[in-house]
Amino acid sequence: MNIKLYSAWYCPFAQRTWIALEMLGLDYTYIEIDPYDKTEHWMEISRGKGQVPVVEFSDGKANRVRVPDSIRSLEFLNDLAAGQFWNNAPTLRADQRYWLDHINGWIVPQFYRFLKAPVGSAQSQESRTALSEGLASLETATVGRGSAIDAKHPGMLDVALFPFAYRMNLLLPYYKSFRPLAHASSLGDWFGEMCRSEDVRATSAQVEYYDDQLLQFYEPYAAGGGQEDVTTIAN
Amino acid sequence: MNIKLYSAWYCPFAQRTWIALEMLGLDYTYIEIDPYDKTEHWMEISRGKGQVPVVEFSDGKANRVRVPDSIRSLEFLNDLAAGQFWNNAPTLRADQRYWLDHINGWIVPQFYRFLKAPVGSAQSQESRTALSEGLASLETATVGRGSAIDAKHPGMLDVALFPFAYRMNLLLPYYKSFRPLAHASSLGDWFGEMCRSEDVRATSAQVEYYDDQLLQFYEPYAAGGGQEDVTTIAN
């Protein structure tokens, strides 16, 4: 069994897949890629998308596949490892998917909108409120349910949210005076516990001065630059 | 077990869910909704989205859920019925998901772009080509694989594609001189067989003069009107 992860160290989407590989206990080779360098080789590997993460898999026999997209790769790796990222009850699994779409279609774009908005602007105010409300609704609607985020039994939602929660907590207080998550709250407790997980730590340990590097990497975004497409809100 | 389908008779997204309910042999109540009439009741049922389909489920005990979104409802209903919409092999299932994203992120928006583009315009030319190539790549890349469209063993891709294939074949030749699918080709054969399926036919039988009504319903779209958001192409 041969798994390759094409990733960029700073990318929260790629970190999702990386965390999943660790949590599921799969052997893999990490390959650092500059996704913006659209070489022929990279476009072929990423199936024309030019985005990290991509998971490449072969069992040496007939089974081969290249999986671009972070959620699709999470689903694939979970299937491959017969993992527990989904709840077994159909209604709770549907709930997990609903909140997964909420993370991807609301929380993630509002995070980027807030990060890019000039301090004091109307967009800053709106996206700060939208982000806070998006996090609060995830927290309250799923609390005590088998579909909730749960650092003790991490699943699809925990892995999908964490890399963005980490960047929120690092970048937004520094650049935008956002109150960090790590206060007494179930989301704050979840965040602290996820940060202490060995599987999560393995995905940041290879980069020296990780937080400093991230702060530096995202500086152009915090000044309003960077890509626009990550700020698009789903229906 | 209590399943309600909130649907609009003309909507291809809702028809996906409707076909799935028939194929999976589930009991359900069909409820016709005008999704554009954003009443408080409808916004609550659709969880603030105001779009069909929504599946509402309750087993009379603790398990209740409302599932908006056509693909999410297909996944939920398949889980509920322990259905065979996904291939069991992880690599083939990942392939199914890849082509599902291709249908949703490429074929569907190109269909709407082509339907809305004025005949003879550059957008008409581009979207016609993009749609044809999108269909051809689905056909050739999956042929002979367990992830392919297959009317004899319909799964996620068949149910996701069919309502759009039906509208392509009805509306595009009439309004845009597009060559219909139903020629000698594996896609054409698939289309013919899907059309003859009792489960598929059950989802159009309640509307008299179904094809005429559809042609009439989509006339404003064919003249360039209707909603814009369905033409957005995924990354």
Side-chain angles (χ1 to χ4, degrees):
Chain A
M1 195 152 101
N2 184 349
I3 301 175
K4 288 178 186 162
L5 169 63
Y6 294 88
S7 170
W9 70 271
Y10 53 81
C11 175
F13 295 96
Q15 197 184 4
R16 288 174 165 172
T17 310
W18 199 358
I19 292 172
L21 284 160
E22 290 289 329
M23 284 186 171
L24 294 164
L26 291 161
D27 280 333
Y28 63 96
T29 306
Y30 180 96
I31 298 163
E32 181 75 20
I33 277 280
D34 176 3
Y36 299 103
D37 186 11
K38 313 287 185 197
T39 63
E40 208 175 309
H41 176 65
W42 171 231
M43 293 309 278
E44 191 195 330
I45 284 168
S46 64
R47 302 179 82 160
K49 303 205 189 308
Q51 292 176 334
V52 288
V54 177
V55 165
E56 195 175 60
F57 169 84
S58 167
D59 66 358
K61 296 173 217 156
N63 299 307
R64 296 184 55 191
V65 72
R66 280 182 181 139
V67 186
D69 184 86
S70 62
I71 299 299
R72 293 315 194 190
S73 67
L74 256 56
E75 291 174 321
F76 169 62
L77 294 172
N78 188 58
D79 285 348
L80 202 61
Q84 300 296 312
F85 276 10
W86 293 118
N87 194 295
N88 284 325
T91 51
L92 289 173
R93 192 181 294 196
D95 229 37
Q96 277 181 297
R97 291 197 200 99
Y98 179 84
W99 291 107
L100 185 63
D101 292 341
H102 175 76
I103 291 169
N104 285 324
W106 189 259
I107 291 178
V108 167
Q110 296 293 3
F111 158 65
Y112 282 110
R113 289 186 72 225
F114 185 30
L115 179 62
K116 290 161 71 91
V119 174
S121 67
Q123 189 186 318
S124 177
Q125 190 76 9
E126 280 163 28
S127 51
R128 173 198 291 261
T129 304
L131 177 61
S132 298
E133 288 177 357
L135 289 166
S137 66
L138 170 67
E139 194 174 10
T140 55
T142 62
V143 90
R145 291 174 67 87
S147 52
I149 55 172
D150 178 0
K152 286 191 179 57
H153 305 95
M156 219 33 103
L157 296 184
D158 306 273
V159 180
L161 181 60
F162 179 78
F164 295 92
Y166 192 85
R167 281 152 186 79
M168 280 174 217
N169 233 33
L170 177 72
L171 305 173
L172 296 181
Y174 184 82
Y175 286 118
K176 308 288 163 168
S177 306
F178 188 65
R179 182 187 285 224
L181 300 174
H183 283 273
S185 71
S186 59
L187 203 58
D189 292 344
W190 166 86
F191 183 73
E193 197 158 336
M194 288 292 286
C195 283
R196 289 187 293 276
S197 148
E198 286 301 318
D199 296 324
V200 168
R201 289 160 69 95
T203 67
S204 62
Q206 273 117 321
V207 175
E208 271 199 333
Y209 309 110
Y210 185 66
D211 285 0
D212 283 350
Q213 298 265 17
L214 275 180
L215 280 166
Q216 197 181 318
F217 178 82
Y218 281 96
E219 200 173 355
Y221 288 81
Q227 286 185 297
E228 283 299 328
D229 58 356
V230 283
T231 62
T232 306
I233 295 156
N235 288 324
Chain B
M1 198 152 99
N2 184 351
I3 302 175
K4 288 179 186 161
L5 169 63
Y6 294 88
S7 170
W9 69 271
Y10 53 82
C11 175
F13 295 96
Q15 198 185 4
R16 287 173 166 174
T17 310
W18 199 357
I19 291 172
L21 284 160
E22 289 288 329
M23 285 187 171
L24 294 164
L26 292 160
D27 281 332
Y28 64 95
T29 306
Y30 180 97
I31 298 163
E32 180 77 20
I33 278 280
D34 175 3
Y36 299 103
D37 186 11
K38 312 288 187 198
T39 63
E40 209 174 309
H41 177 66
W42 171 230
M43 293 309 278
E44 192 195 330
I45 285 168
S46 64
R47 302 180 83 161
K49 302 205 190 309
Q51 293 176 334
V52 288
V54 176
V55 165
E56 196 175 59
F57 168 83
S58 168
D59 65 358
K61 296 174 216 156
N63 298 307
R64 297 184 54 190
V65 73
R66 280 182 181 140
V67 186
D69 185 85
S70 62
I71 300 298
R72 293 315 193 190
S73 67
L74 255 57
E75 292 174 318
F76 169 61
L77 294 172
N78 188 58
D79 286 347
L80 203 60
Q84 300 297 313
F85 276 9
W86 292 117
N87 194 295
N88 284 326
T91 51
L92 290 173
R93 192 181 295 196
D95 229 38
Q96 278 180 296
R97 290 196 200 99
Y98 178 85
W99 291 107
L100 185 63
D101 293 340
H102 175 76
I103 291 170
N104 284 324
W106 189 259
I107 292 178
V108 167
Q110 296 293 3
F111 157 65
Y112 282 110
R113 289 185 71 226
F114 185 28
L115 179 62
K116 291 162 70 91
V119 174
S121 66
Q123 191 186 314
S124 178
Q125 190 76 8
E126 279 164 29
S127 51
R128 173 198 290 261
T129 304
L131 178 61
S132 298
E133 288 178 356
L135 289 166
S137 67
L138 171 66
E139 193 174 10
T140 55
T142 62
V143 89
R145 291 175 67 88
S147 52
I149 56 171
D150 177 0
K152 286 192 177 55
H153 305 96
M156 221 29 106
L157 297 184
D158 306 272
V159 179
L161 180 60
F162 180 78
F164 295 92
Y166 191 85
R167 282 153 186 78
M168 280 175 217
N169 233 34
L170 176 72
L171 305 172
L172 295 181
Y174 183 81
Y175 286 118
K176 309 287 163 169
S177 307
F178 189 65
R179 181 187 285 225
L181 300 174
H183 283 274
S185 71
S186 59
L187 203 58
D189 292 345
W190 167 85
F191 183 73
E193 197 158 337
M194 289 291 286
C195 283
R196 288 186 293 275
S197 149
E198 285 301 318
D199 297 324
V200 168
R201 290 160 69 94
T203 67
S204 63
Q206 272 116 322
V207 175
E208 272 199 332
Y209 310 110
Y210 185 66
D211 286 359
D212 283 350
Q213 298 265 16
L214 276 180
L215 280 167
Q216 196 180 319
F217 178 82
Y218 282 96
E219 201 173 355
Y221 288 82
Q227 286 186 298
E228 283 299 328
D229 57 358
V230 284
T231 63
T232 306
I233 294 155
N235 289 322

